[in-house]
Amino acid sequence: MKKSTSKIFFLVVSVTLFFVFIVLSCSIDEDECALNEDCFEGYSCVDGFCVEDGGDSGNTGNTGDTGNTGDTGNTGDTGDTGNTGNTGSETGAVCGNGIVETGEQCDDGVNDGSYGGCNPDCTFAPYCGDGIVHKEYGEECDDGPDNGTGYGKCNFDCTKGPHCGDGVINGDEECDDGEDNSNTAPNACRTDCTLPFCGDGVKDDGEECDDGDKNSDTARNACRTDCTLPRCGDGVIDDGEQCDMGDENSDTGSCTTECRWNTCGDGFVYDGVEECDHGADNSNSGECKLDCTYNVCGDGHLWEGVEVCDGNVACTSLGGSYFNGYAICNEDCTVLDESGCNKRLPELEVRIYQRGGAFSERMHVEWQSPDGVKCQSPSSKTCYATPVGEIFIIGDGMHADRSPNYARYRNYQNVHGEFRARVYNSLNGECGVDKVEFVIGGSIVKTLTANQNCKTDKTLKMPAAGDTWDVDNFRW
């Protein structure tokens, strides 16, 4: 009796374990999971559910012997037609049964393709996390498996996390004006949430220019790296500049503060090169000469108002009365000694007027110089003396209605002696002199009014003494 009881107990336990194994096997197929480790051995986590792994296909076994044909059984009664079952797959999975089976991404039983659900073919419908931004379902972003939390991330609900452009200064952001962020508007917060700065390519307040990467402290005519315009003194020779030595520009050096080469006449004294520079006022007759040296006694340039002379002077340059020689300037340029100059006689014009009378009257004049040269009228002509001097006769002097008969003594130099005019009449007619005028420098200096009968020779005498006429002794 004991042995029978033991056998019955063992049988009951065995059956019970078998059913437990069956139940566990069924529950494993449908268990939810997050990782493969959540499933039993032989199962993998697929789309949130534990699915039995498919093993490798074994080799095809040998074909067995054909069995004997059995006896034909009795025909049974026809059963009722059953309901049509769900379409099965090659693996035996049924899409739409609400169970995620092998080969299915999902199966919610509804499978209507709604957002976050399952498509009719048991593939995922659009959902947050698929890496596609579905704006029609309100998604702002979707980085797929990279969705998460933190600056610049897309949240797990596909809304944007803290980021540049949200209008809030987050993390290392310098600014954030949201939609007003701009890379072109002056003074705006930039689209990378940095403050406007010199070199961003936008001319902001306080900047004269900003060409971004083209800003340069070496390129000609470029906007400088401190966003100032190119200028004289920045060390770069720009348009309109002759030179630019930067901080070494100097009005006493080779390159002036106007970025021009320092040259004589620019008004800047070049140390070690120029003594002076009065610009447009430089003059060889002033304090600073045209070569930017000071005007000093002995340089051959007369400093007007300060020097009387500077060097010896040719007498002929001092006035019309000198004909040769040099005037000597003393050593301090204060006195010009003209004693070495030879003067010429001023030009003397003698006008002899006839006394009125008949046309038959005749009067001749023979003009004579101390050296014996004679020049006789009638007719206009010039008679030259040696080494210098001339007698210039004007008019014929023969007729009363053509008087006066006159001549000029000119260009005579350093003469001591008498000039003469012999008046005579070679015919029997009357000959009379009414008056004689003597003109020097355009002015009448003497007039002889005594009536002279020139029927016989009459001689007019005009003495000279070196460089002057002895006017007081002009006489008949």
Side-chain angles (χ1 to χ4, degrees):
M1 186 66 180
K2 284 184 178 180
K3 289 184 179 179
S4 299
T5 303
S6 298
K7 289 181 179 179
I8 294 170
F9 175 78
F10 178 79
L11 180 60
V12 170
V13 171
S14 297
V15 171
T16 301
L17 290 175
F18 174 78
F19 280 105
V20 168
F21 176 78
I22 296 298
V23 170
L24 289 175
S25 296
C26 293
S27 64
I28 288 174
D29 271 340
E30 299 180 3
D31 277 350
E32 294 182 351
C33 63
L35 301 172
N36 289 335
E37 289 79 53
D38 297 333
C39 300
F40 288 104
E41 184 178 355
Y43 289 80
S44 298
C45 186
V46 177
D47 299 326
F49 297 95
C50 292
V51 179
E52 183 178 7
D53 294 335
D56 296 332
S57 300
N59 295 326
T60 304
N62 296 326
T63 304
D65 297 330
T66 302
N68 296 323
T69 303
D71 296 330
T72 301
N74 296 325
T75 302
D77 297 331
T78 302
D80 298 328
T81 302
N83 296 328
T84 301
N86 293 328
T87 302
S89 65
E90 293 181 358
T91 60
V94 178
C95 179
N97 62 1
I99 301 172
V100 179
E101 298 172 303
T102 302
E104 297 176 344
Q105 291 182 338
C106 59
D107 193 335
D108 58 9
V110 179
N111 296 4
D112 59 359
S114 61
Y115 178 77
C118 195
N119 289 321
D121 60 357
C122 286
T123 58
F124 289 123
Y127 66 95
C128 176
D130 62 6
I132 301 172
V133 180
H134 300 286
K135 292 184 178 180
E136 67 274 20
Y137 297 118
E139 293 184 354
E140 297 176 354
C141 56
D142 195 330
D143 293 334
D146 293 329
N147 287 353
T149 59
Y151 181 81
K153 289 283 189 178
C154 184
N155 292 324
F156 287 116
D157 61 358
C158 288
T159 58
K160 289 184 178 180
H163 63 279
C164 178
D166 62 5
V168 180
I169 299 177
N170 303 295
D172 295 331
E173 295 178 350
E174 298 176 358
C175 57
D176 195 332
D177 293 331
E179 293 180 354
D180 292 331
N181 289 355
S182 172
N183 288 333
T184 58
N187 311 311
C189 182
R190 301 301 176 225
T191 56
D192 60 356
C193 288
T194 57
L195 292 169
F197 63 94
C198 175
D200 61 8
V202 182
K203 181 175 174 289
D204 302 302
D205 288 348
E207 298 177 347
E208 297 176 0
C209 56
D210 195 332
D211 293 332
D213 293 340
K214 294 181 180 179
N215 289 357
S216 172
D217 289 334
T218 58
R220 187 182 181 96
N221 306 318
C223 183
R224 302 302 176 221
T225 56
D226 60 356
C227 288
T228 57
L229 292 169
R231 65 193 183 282
C232 176
D234 61 10
V236 182
I237 301 176
D238 302 300
D239 288 349
E241 298 177 347
Q242 295 178 344
C243 56
D244 196 330
M245 296 181 178
D247 293 338
E248 296 182 7
N249 286 356
S250 170
D251 291 338
T252 60
S254 61
C255 189
T256 68
T257 55
E258 297 175 351
C259 288
R260 313 290 294 177
W261 292 120
N262 199 330
T263 58
C264 181
D266 61 7
F268 300 113
V269 180
Y270 190 173
D271 283 350
V273 178
E274 300 172 346
E275 295 178 1
C276 57
D277 197 329
H278 293 172
D281 292 331
N282 286 354
S283 170
N284 287 338
S285 60
E287 178 185 31
C288 190
K289 296 181 297 187
L290 294 175
D291 61 357
C292 288
T293 59
Y294 282 116
N295 200 330
V296 296
C297 179
D299 61 6
H301 297 286
L302 180 64
W303 185 355
E304 294 180 357
V306 177
E307 298 174 341
V308 173
C309 55
D310 197 322
N312 299 334
V313 180
C315 296
T316 53
S317 67
L318 299 176
S321 62
Y322 293 126
F323 67 91
N324 63 14
Y326 285 91
I328 307 302
C329 186
N330 69 348
E331 62 183 9
D332 61 0
C333 296
T334 58
V335 177
L336 184 64
D337 181 4
E338 300 180 17
S339 62
C341 294
N342 294 317
K343 294 182 178 180
R344 64 166 58 92
L345 277 169
E347 181 177 288
L348 173 65
E349 182 175 290
V350 182
R351 301 171 181 172
I352 301 176
Y353 292 86
Q354 296 186 57
R355 185 175 60 225
F359 177 76
S360 60
E361 289 185 332
R362 297 287 187 269
M363 182 178 74
H364 293 273
V365 180
E366 183 183 74
W367 308 91
Q368 304 173 9
S369 65
D371 58 2
V373 173
K374 298 178 180 181
C375 199
Q376 186 174 346
S377 62
S379 74
S380 299
K381 61 184 177 181
T382 300
C383 301
Y384 296 98
T386 56
V388 290
E390 64 183 32
I391 303 170
F392 177 59
I393 298 175
I394 302 175
D396 61 14
M398 295 175 62
H399 305 95
D401 58 347
R402 298 176 186 177
S403 61
N405 188 329
Y406 62 94
R408 295 173 183 167
Y409 295 97
R410 58 191 184 188
N411 295 326
Y412 282 91
Q413 303 167 358
N414 202 23
V415 177
H416 294 271
E418 288 185 340
F419 289 82
R420 296 183 180 187
R422 185 173 70 88
V423 183
Y424 64 95
N425 183 359
S426 61
L427 302 176
N428 292 326
E430 293 294 326
C431 178
V433 177
D434 188 35
K435 65 177 180 178
V436 180
E437 292 177 344
F438 301 95
V439 180
I440 298 176
S443 299
I444 299 174
V445 297
K446 189 170 185 175
T447 301
L448 294 177
T449 58
N451 188 14
Q452 295 291 330
N453 187 336
C454 58
K455 191 172 183 178
T456 58
D457 290 358
K458 296 292 181 180
T459 301
L460 185 63
K461 298 179 179 181
M462 296 156 286
D467 56 4
T468 61
W469 293 99
D470 187 4
V471 177
D472 291 340
N473 288 313
F474 285 1
R475 66 194 185 281
W476 285 105

